[in-house]
Amino acid sequence: DTEVTQTPKHLVMGMTNKKSLKCEQHMGHRAMYWYKQKAKKPPELMFVYSYEKLSINESVPSRFSPECPNSSLLNLHLHALQPEDSALYLCASSPQGPTRNTIYFGEGSWLTVV
Amino acid sequence: RKEVEQDPGPFNVPEGATVAFNCTYSNSASQSFFWYRQDCRKEPKLLMSVYSSGNEDGRFTAQLNRASQYISLLIRDSKLSDSATYLCVVNANTGGFKTIFGAGTRLFVKA
């Protein structure tokens, strides 16, 4: 079983809603990530937090807002999403920076925007 | 050219077959390499890291050729449970890290 836990597992939201995806890991990892995955496509990196600081933003639209309250938690705040944002959102972590470290994924949050 | 390219697949093989997946990467500054497995509607899971010396884990063998920027995964004696998508993953530190996933190769093992 994965040691990266994500909630909720499924989320349906309207285009005017505000919701959040949550991620937690207790492996002492210092890097955490958000990925987006569409059907039959590989995961696409959205954000990287390293030592609780945002280190990478892959030109993600501002309707997605990440937050790292502490080294174990990572949130993704969602506001005014579009139907094309419907996807599997994967949280991941790695011991330190990702250059050599293995990335461990959570089970994902399935998001549907209606 | 894509940064990480994999065989397009899908591969359809009978149980017991040997199947090989290939992957090439374009960034010579790439530092670490992995194969992940992803089942339908599940998260990617690490299958194995890939080293220049090659590494083996049971029926799975991974090889890395840095000179050719080529990674491979060999599965021997395929099982039905090996059916999944296999993702080639490359980490590169080029003034900012990047973890890059290949598009994945789908494997169907049939009885």
Side-chain angles (χ1 to χ4, degrees), chain A residues 11 13-16 35-39 41 44 46 60-61 63-64 78-89 109-114:
Chain A
L11 176 63
M13 62 184 290
M15 289 188 283
T16 58
Y35 284 83
K36 172 182 176 179
Q37 188 173 24
K38 302 281 276 185
K41 297 288 186 183
E44 295 177 29
M46 300 175 72
V60 179
R63 57 186 185 270
F64 295 92
L78 314 170
H79 175 52
L81 296 193
Q82 303 296 310
E84 59 265 28
D85 295 322
S86 299
L88 175 65
Y89 288 84
S109 294
W110 289 93
L111 173 66
T112 303
V113 181
V114 297

Side-chain angles (χ1 to χ4, degrees), chain A residues 37 42 48 98-100 103 106, chain B residues 32 34 36 38 43 46 91 97 102:
Chain A
Q37 188 173 24
V48 180
T99 54
R100 291 186 181 276
I103 292 177
Chain B
S32 53
F34 308 90
Y36 279 73
Q38 187 169 25
E43 77 278 18
L46 177 69
N91 285 350
F97 110 90

Side-chain angles (χ1 to χ4, degrees), chain A residues 41-112:
Chain A
K41 297 288 186 183
E44 295 177 29
L45 183 66
M46 300 175 72
F47 302 104
V48 180
Y49 273 83
S50 183
Y51 293 86
E52 301 164 50
K53 293 191 188 312
L54 182 65
S55 61
I56 300 253
N57 176 340
E58 289 284 290
S59 302
V60 179
S62 59
R63 57 186 185 270
F64 295 92
S65 174
E67 178 197 16
C68 188
N70 60 54
S71 60
S72 300
L73 295 174
L74 186 65
N75 300 322
L76 186 63
H77 302 300
L78 314 170
H79 175 52
L81 296 193
Q82 303 296 310
E84 59 265 28
D85 295 322
S86 299
L88 175 65
Y89 288 84
L90 292 160
C91 176
S93 69
S94 66
Q96 295 173 346
T99 54
R100 291 186 181 276
N101 290 177
T102 303
I103 292 177
Y104 297 89
F105 287 91
E107 293 183 345
S109 294
W110 289 93
L111 173 66
T112 303

Side-chain angles (χ1 to χ4, degrees), chain B residues 51-69:
Chain B
Y51 306 111
S52 297
S53 55
N55 47 308
E56 186 174 315
D57 182 2
R59 297 181 294 108
F60 299 83
T61 301
Q63 294 277 357
L64 166 65
N65 184 322
R66 284 188 182 270
S68 302
Q69 296 181 197

